[in-house]
Amino acid sequence: MLFIRLSWVVGQAGIGFSSVIIILSTVVTVVTTLSMSAICTNGEVKGGGAYYLISRSLGPEFGGAIGIIFSLANAVAVGLYVVGFAETLTELLVRHNVPIPGLSEINHIRIFGFFTAILLLGIALIGLDWESKIQLVLLVVLVVALIDAVIGSFIPRSCDHTITLQGFTHYRWGTFVDNFSPDYHDNQNFFSVFSVFFPAATGILAGANISGNLKVFDDNNYVNMIY
């Protein structure tokens, strides 16, 4: 969502309202994180992730009801991220003229999405230990990608005319002024654009869902850790 849709968000809402969207998403995430931290410090946290935290704070009745919705939301989120990955991979193959012969673009997305979902299912079936190790690898990839995006924004753009047509004009004050105000189209508005971007700010659940891997420190362990 961050790499694929952020440019679309800025194009719709402008730089000003896009900044507001990012700030609002950050505020919601920080408040949620503080609430989860308060619950975690109120005793031992066992496996179950957000469902365990909710059921312990609100009771098993509310926890079960919210847990069902939460599981469905996770299933939808997996489909969302898999399709986004498959679309990006397909675009890269088409751009470098190495697509699978005899298949349309939509079938490329379906095939890549299918095998990606199978791979994720295999990781989930192996166990949370492997999932935790995979997350460390993904963390490194994301950090490198963010650094690459920042460094790449300062590299002078190519003289290729197609690059200019895609909207890459490098850092210019005129471009900033022209894109500061919103320009909603295709029946979009502030809240619809916010709803598209907000899933990019829900990564805290990835940490909460591996709550079973947390270590419990008693007073002796805490003293030994300090000294």
Side-chain angles (χ1 to χ4, degrees), residues 92-114:
L92 289 174
L93 292 178
V94 172
R95 182 178 300 177
H96 292 84
N97 296 321
V98 287
I100 301 177
L103 291 178
S104 62
E105 183 175 340
I106 185 64
N107 286 330
H108 277 81
I109 297 175
R110 290 168 178 168
I111 292 175
F112 294 143
F114 174 78

Side-chain angles (χ1 to χ4, degrees), residues 159-182:
C159 297
D160 189 354
H161 184 61
T162 58
I163 299 295
T164 304
L165 291 178
Q166 292 175 355
F168 294 96
T169 63
H170 205 54
Y171 289 105
R172 292 194 335 198
W173 178 253
T175 304
F176 177 84
V177 173
D178 293 338
N179 292 276
F180 188 83
S181 301

Side-chain angles (χ1 to χ4, degrees), residues 52-83:
Y52 176 81
L53 298 177
I54 293 172
S55 62
R56 196 178 70 177
S57 60
L58 300 180
E61 296 82 5
F62 289 98
I66 297 176
I68 294 176
I69 300 175
F70 183 68
S71 63
L72 294 176
N74 277 337
V76 174
V78 169
L80 178 72
Y81 297 135
V82 166
V83 171

